[in-house]
Amino acid sequence: MKGDAAPAGEGAGPELLALAKVVARLRSEVADLEGVAATTAVVERAKGVLMARSGVSADTAHEILLGQAGAGGRTLLEECWLTLGQIPSNPPPATATAPAAAPATRSADAGSEPATAAFGSGRRLVGSRAGTAALRPPLARLADGLAAAHGGDDVAELLRTVLGTGAGVDAVLIYALTSAGNLELVGHAGIDDVLAERWRHIPPLAGVAAHEAVTGRRALWLEDPSQDARHYLLIGDATDRWHSRAWIPVPADGPPDKAIGFLRTRWGPFPSDIRALLRRAARLCAGPLGMPERPRDPEGEPADVDVASAQRMLDALAGPAILLTPLRSETGEVEDYRIDAAAPESVDVAGRRGKELVGRRVLETYPTVVGTALWDGYLETLTTGTAYEGEPFTYEEVVAGVPQQSVYSVRASRLGDRLVVSWIRHDTSEREARRLADMQRLGNLGWAGWNLAADTITWSDQVYAIFDRDPRHGPMALEELPRHAVPDDLPKLGTALRQLLGEGEPVDQPFRITTADGVRHLRLVAEAQTDADGTPVEVHGFFQDLSAQRGVELALRESERAVLLQRGMLQAERALAASLQDTLLPIPEQSLELAGLRIDVAYVPADRGVNVGGDWYSAIELPDGSALFVVGDVAGHGLAAVGTMAQLRFTTKGMTITGSPLPDVLRRLNTLLLHTATDPSATATATMVMGRYQPWDRRLTWVRAGHLPPLLVRGGRASFLEQPRGNLLGATFDASYGQAVLDLMPGDRLLFYTDGLVEEPGEDIGVGLDRLATSTLRLLRAGRGETLARTLAALCPGNRDDICVLDVHVPDDP
C-alpha cells in the first residue's frame, strides 16, 4: 500500500516510530491472546474430565477446580494440570463382579435401548448413578478431544466421531445467532460443502427449530419427519435422509446464542439416555464454541454521550463522514486515531461501509497515511481548531491481492477533543463513465445532445460506430438525419423531427440508414427542453442499433409464415382425406344383419394431429350367402394411408367375391404392397384380420396378417383366439399365411379391433388386452351389449390413434 509518504531518510523517523509502536502493540496483543487461548484450552479440558467422572455441569466443575486450587494453595492452571495428569492412559479392565455377558441394567430414564449396549460398557451398573456411569466413556473422549479442537468444524467433526456409533449421530450442524436475528453456520460435519453452503445463512423466519432452540433455551427433539415438517423448516438434505433430529442450545454466561443439531438417519425417538448424553455433550462444547467479544482498546475512551450524539448526527447526513478520537501517549502526544462514529454512506477504498469502519484505527487500517499532509492536517486542526481542506491525493490499497487506487479530497473540523472528517472520492465519476461506456457498447446504443441555443452537438463514441461515421467529421445536426435515411422512412422520420423541434414533444422513432456494410435498423429516442415560451432550446436522447434484433424478427416472421402455409396445406390434406374416408368407409348408425348375424361397427379418429389415419373395416355378404368380416390398419396417416386403405379394401372384396381362399387373398395383398413400396410417398405396410362365416354350419374360417387376435365371449368368459401364422403385409416376399376354424355358438360375441383400442404408451400390450377382456365382460353384465362397440371405443381416454371395432353377435336360438 502506498500514498503520499514522506521520503525515506532522517525526516521519516517520527513516522517510522509511530508505525513501530503500532506493530509492537499488535504483537503484544497477539501474544496475550495466544496465552489466553492456551490457558482456556487446559481449563476446558480439565472441566470436561470432571464432568465425565462425576456427572456434574460445566459450572459445577469450574467451582470444584477453584475450590481444590484454593485449598491446596495452587493456581487454577496448576490445579487443571494436576487433574489432567490423573487421567489413566488405558481404561481399567471390567471388574470380576459382573461378567461381560451379564445383561446390563437400564438407566433411570432409559428408553428402548440399554445404555451399556449403546456405549459398549460390560460392567453392571447399580443404583441411580447407572445412567451417569454409562455415559462416561463417550464424554471422556469428547472432553479429551475438545481441548485440541479449533473452530466449529473441528467441534462438529469430533461430536460426529464420538457420538456416531453409540448415539447414532450421522451429521452435526452448529449455528450461531447473530445480533440481527439470523442464523449462521459456524461448524458442520457429515454433510458435503454444497449442502453446507445452501444452509449457511438462515434469515429470522418462523418455524426454524435451531432458532427456537436458542431463543427458547430448550432442546427440541424432532422424531417424526412427516409431523415435524408441518411445524418446522427441516434443515438438511431434501432427500429425507435425516429421519430424526435434535436441536440443543449451547449454555452460555448470558442468553445462549448457539445451537447444535444432531442428525440421524435412523427412525424413532431418542431414548432418554441418548438425550442425556447429547445434552451433556452440548454443555461440554460451551467453552470451545465461546466467542468472546473483541476487547476494547486499553487506552481508548469508553463510549460516551458525545459519541452517541455524533453518531445520530452522522446518521442524518448525506455523504461520507466519520468521527475520529485521538489516542494519546503518556506524554500527551497523538499516536493514532480511532473511528468512533461513521455516516451510513461512508465507504473506503476497500469497500468497508458505515458502521463497519467503527472501532478501526487509522494507522492499522490505512498505515501509509502517517507522515503525509493529511496526517499533519489532522494534528493542526486538533491543535488550533482551524479547519483542514487538503488537495486531492491518490491512495492505493491492495484488496484481495489486487491494487486499487482512488483519489480523495479530505476536509477535517474539530469537535471538542475529536475530529469530524469528510471526503470526496473523485474517481467515482470516472467509474460511472466507464460503466456508461460499457453499457452503450453492450446495448449497441449511444447518447447524443444538441444545444440549439449555443449550436453545439455532443455525441458519444458509440453513436459514431452506429452511423459508421468517422469521428473526424464530427457529429451531425438533427436536420441532417433525413439525408442518411432510407427513402421509404423519410416521411415518418421527418414527422417525428418536426414534432420534436417544433412542438417539443418526445419521440421514439425507428428508421433505417444505408452504410458501407448495408442497411441498418436504428431507433431514435429523444426529448426536448424548452424555455419559458415553450421553444425547444436543447435536445438529448440516444440512438440504438436494432439491426440484429430486426434480423431475428424477420427470420421469425418468415418462419411463422412458412408454418402457417404448411399448416394450411396439412389442414386441406386432412379435409380431403377425411372426405375420401367418409366416402370409402361409411359408418352405419344402426346394427347390420348379415348371414343371420348382428354386426355393430364403431370408428373413432385420433384426437391429435391434422392427418387422417388408415384404420378400416369391411362387412359384406358374399354371393353364396356367407359373410365376410375384415378389420385392417394401414401404417401412417394422410392421403397416402387413405389411398392404401382403399386399395386393400376393394382388392380384398374383389378377390373374396370371386371365391379365392383367404390365405391366397393375403398373399396377393402382400405382393401388391411390396410392389407399391417403390413409390416413396406410398404407405408400404399394413395389418389385417379377415374371416368368412358360413351360416349353414355356423363355421368361421379366419386369417391374419400381423394383426391382434379377435376376442371371443362365450358363456360369461372372454378369451383371445389362438392365432394362425401370418406376417405383416408389405414386409417380405417370403411371407406365409395359415388359417384357423372356429365353430360359433348361439349367444357368442366376436370382436375384431385395431391396436388403438388397447395400446398405451410405455405399457405392455398384454396389459391392454387384459383390460379389453375385463371391460367387455363388465359391459355385457351391465346389459350394454347393444352398444358394445361404441362404448368400448369411448372408454379410451385421449385417443392417440384411430380406433376401429367390429362386434359380431350370434343371436340366441328361438
Side-chain angles (χ1 to χ4, degrees):
M1 292 180 284
K2 61 185 179 181
D4 295 338
E10 184 177 358
E15 294 79 9
L16 294 178
L17 180 60
L19 290 177
K21 289 182 179 180
V22 171
V23 172
R25 182 175 59 79
L26 292 177
R27 286 179 177 174
S28 176
E29 290 181 358
V30 170
D32 292 342
L33 290 175
E34 289 177 348
V36 170
T39 302
T40 302
V42 174
V43 173
E44 293 300 329
R45 184 176 178 184
K47 287 166 57 178
V49 171
L50 285 181
M51 293 170 64
R53 285 179 177 175
S54 307
V56 296
S57 66
D59 294 339
T60 304
H62 189 265
E63 294 297 330
I64 293 175
L65 290 172
L66 287 177
Q68 292 176 350
R74 295 180 292 270
T75 64
L76 176 61
L77 185 60
E78 292 171 341
E79 184 64 33
C80 291
W81 281 118
L82 289 175
T83 302
L84 295 175
Q86 299 171 3
I87 301 177
S89 58
N90 295 307
T95 62
T97 58
T105 60
R106 300 177 184 267
S107 63
D109 57 350
S112 59
E113 299 179 7
T116 53
F119 304 110
S121 174
R123 306 179 185 179
R124 180 174 178 83
L125 306 178
V126 182
S128 62
R129 304 294 294 173
T132 300
L135 299 181
R136 286 179 182 173
L139 288 178
R141 287 159 43 210
L142 181 61
D144 187 59
L146 286 175
H150 298 285
D153 287 339
D154 284 358
V155 174
E157 183 60 37
L158 180 62
L159 288 170
R160 187 180 72 91
T161 302
V162 173
L163 303 176
T165 303
V169 174
D170 301 293
V172 176
L173 302 176
I174 304 176
Y175 278 96
L177 183 66
T178 66
S179 58
N182 302 317
L183 286 177
E184 298 291 341
L185 185 65
V186 298
H188 66 88
I191 64 173
D192 55 49
D193 293 338
V194 175
L195 188 60
E197 188 62 31
R198 185 185 309 163
W199 292 97
R200 185 165 299 280
H201 173 80
I202 302 177
L205 303 173
V208 178
H211 189 279
E212 186 173 323
V214 174
T215 57
R217 306 186 188 184
R218 62 187 181 90
L220 294 179
W221 310 94
L222 309 185
E223 299 164 329
D224 186 346
S226 59
Q227 294 295 327
D228 297 330
R230 301 179 182 178
H231 306 287
Y232 296 103
L233 174 66
L234 298 183
I235 299 173
D237 201 338
T239 59
D240 296 334
R241 187 176 14 155
W242 315 114
H243 299 141
S244 55
R245 297 171 170 84
W247 290 98
I248 303 176
V250 179
D253 294 337
D257 62 350
K258 295 180 182 65
I260 302 178
F262 299 97
L263 280 62
R264 307 191 306 174
T265 56
R266 67 176 60 175
W267 293 89
F270 291 85
S272 58
D273 52 353
I274 301 298
R275 292 192 178 194
L277 172 67
L278 297 184
R279 289 179 187 273
R280 293 187 179 182
R283 285 200 295 268
L284 277 178
C285 297
L289 292 178
M291 298 292 291
E293 295 184 1
R294 181 180 177 182
R296 297 180 63 87
D297 297 319
E299 66 275 32
E301 299 178 6
D304 55 28
V305 67
D306 293 335
V307 173
S309 300
Q311 182 62 66
R312 289 193 295 270
M313 177 187 67
L314 294 179
D315 288 340
L317 292 180
I322 58 175
L323 179 69
L324 293 182
T325 298
L327 304 178
R328 301 179 183 273
S329 64
E330 296 180 355
T331 60
E333 296 180 357
V334 176
E335 293 184 331
D336 202 347
Y337 297 89
R338 185 183 63 238
I339 303 175
D340 278 349
E345 297 184 11
S346 303
V347 183
D348 66 0
V349 68
R352 293 176 286 255
R353 180 180 301 272
K355 293 185 178 180
E356 294 178 348
L357 302 171
V358 175
R360 295 184 175 272
R361 293 188 174 198
V362 172
L363 290 185
E364 292 178 11
T365 311
Y366 319 104
T368 57
V369 171
V370 66
T372 64
L374 177 62
W375 185 264
D376 296 336
Y378 285 172
L379 292 176
E380 182 178 356
T381 299
L382 195 60
T383 304
T384 64
T386 304
Y388 166 77
E389 294 190 12
E391 296 293 330
F393 70 97
T394 301
Y395 183 83
E396 179 178 306
E397 182 167 345
V398 178
V399 179
V402 180
Q404 295 187 3
Q405 289 186 347
S406 295
V407 179
Y408 294 93
S409 291
V410 179
R411 187 181 191 279
S413 301
R414 190 173 71 180
L415 179 63
D417 193 31
R418 296 180 173 86
L419 294 177
V420 176
V421 179
S422 59
W423 63 89
I424 298 175
R425 189 169 181 174
H426 297 286
D427 56 337
T428 302
S429 58
E430 297 178 4
R431 293 184 181 182
E432 294 298 330
R434 288 196 299 270
R435 291 175 181 173
L436 179 61
D438 290 341
M439 181 187 68
Q440 293 182 84
R441 176 178 52 83
L442 295 174
N444 207 1
L445 56 85
W447 60 267
W450 293 267
N451 190 321
L452 306 180
D455 196 20
T456 58
I457 307 173
T458 305
W459 273 12
S460 68
D461 295 339
Q462 192 65 26
V463 178
Y464 290 99
I466 290 174
F467 278 87
D468 195 20
R469 184 179 178 89
D470 192 337
R472 291 177 297 180
H473 298 158
M476 69 177 70
L478 286 171
E479 294 80 359
E480 190 179 345
L481 284 180
R483 303 178 192 173
H484 300 270
V486 173
D488 292 343
D489 295 342
L490 284 178
K492 292 184 177 179
L493 181 60
T495 301
L497 291 178
R498 286 191 295 271
Q499 177 183 344
L500 176 66
L501 299 176
E503 303 174 10
E505 296 292 332
V507 297
D508 185 347
Q509 181 62 43
F511 65 99
R512 292 169 293 174
I513 62 171
T514 303
T515 67
D517 297 331
V519 176
R520 292 185 180 180
H521 295 261
L522 305 187
R523 175 192 180 196
L524 169 63
V525 179
E527 63 180 4
Q529 293 182 349
T530 60
D531 57 16
D533 299 329
T535 303
V537 295
E538 185 175 355
V539 174
H540 57 266
F542 67 85
F543 293 98
Q544 185 174 16
D545 187 353
L546 301 176
S547 301
Q549 295 92 317
R550 185 60 177 169
V552 173
E553 291 175 0
L554 292 176
L556 180 60
R557 187 174 301 173
E558 290 297 326
S559 177
E560 291 177 348
R561 185 179 293 110
V563 169
L564 291 175
L565 179 61
Q566 182 68 18
R567 185 175 182 84
M569 294 175 60
L570 292 174
Q571 289 176 341
E573 180 181 337
R574 176 183 174 84
L576 177 59
S579 177
L580 288 174
Q581 189 181 55
D582 291 341
T583 302
L584 299 173
L585 193 66
I587 306 299
E589 297 182 359
Q590 297 179 351
S591 299
L592 302 175
E593 296 290 340
L594 291 177
L597 302 176
R598 192 181 70 206
I599 312 300
D600 285 299
V601 180
Y603 177 81
V604 180
D607 287 344
R608 295 183 293 181
V610 297
N611 286 323
V612 178
D615 289 16
W616 61 282
Y617 82 96
S618 181
I620 61 173
E621 187 169 341
L622 299 177
D624 61 356
S626 61
L628 177 69
F629 309 112
V630 188
V631 169
D633 186 359
V634 178
H637 294 80
L639 287 174
V642 173
T644 303
M645 177 267 290
Q647 188 179 38
L648 292 176
R649 188 169 187 263
F650 292 125
T651 303
T652 301
K653 284 184 178 182
M655 289 189 293
T656 308
I657 290 174
T658 59
S660 298
L662 298 185
D664 290 346
V665 174
L666 291 182
R667 280 192 290 270
R668 293 173 183 175
L669 292 176
N670 180 63
T671 303
L672 176 64
L673 288 186
L674 287 171
H675 282 291
T676 59
T678 56
D679 183 0
S681 64
T683 301
T685 61
T687 67
M688 198 169 80
V689 60
M690 177 169 52
R692 185 202 302 267
Y693 174 72
Q694 301 172 168
W696 50 86
D697 56 4
R698 292 177 176 160
R699 174 161 290 184
L700 177 74
T701 304
W702 68 285
V703 294
R704 59 176 287 272
H707 205 85
L708 295 172
L711 177 65
L712 174 65
V713 180
R714 173 179 290 173
R717 299 182 61 185
S719 60
F720 292 97
L721 299 184
E722 185 175 351
Q723 303 185 84
R725 69 181 183 277
N727 299 96
L728 184 75
L729 295 178
T732 175
F733 283 103
D734 298 330
S736 61
Y737 302 94
Q739 69 180 17
V741 176
L742 172 67
D743 291 329
L744 296 179
M745 300 175 61
D748 285 354
R749 302 188 86 106
L750 193 63
L751 288 180
F752 298 90
Y753 53 91
T754 56
D755 55 3
L757 186 66
V758 293
E759 284 187 346
E760 288 290 338
E763 184 180 79
D764 186 78
I765 189 64
V767 177
L769 293 175
D770 293 342
R771 183 172 54 246
L772 172 61
T774 303
S775 300
T776 301
L777 290 177
R778 186 181 68 252
L779 292 173
L780 292 176
R781 290 166 184 164
R784 302 179 67 178
E786 298 294 332
T787 59
L788 179 62
R790 293 180 178 84
T791 305
L792 286 173
L795 289 178
C796 296
N799 306 328
R800 298 176 178 85
D801 197 2
D802 295 348
I803 298 174
C804 184
V805 183
L806 187 67
D807 176 22
V808 178
H809 181 205
V810 181
D812 296 332
D813 285 337

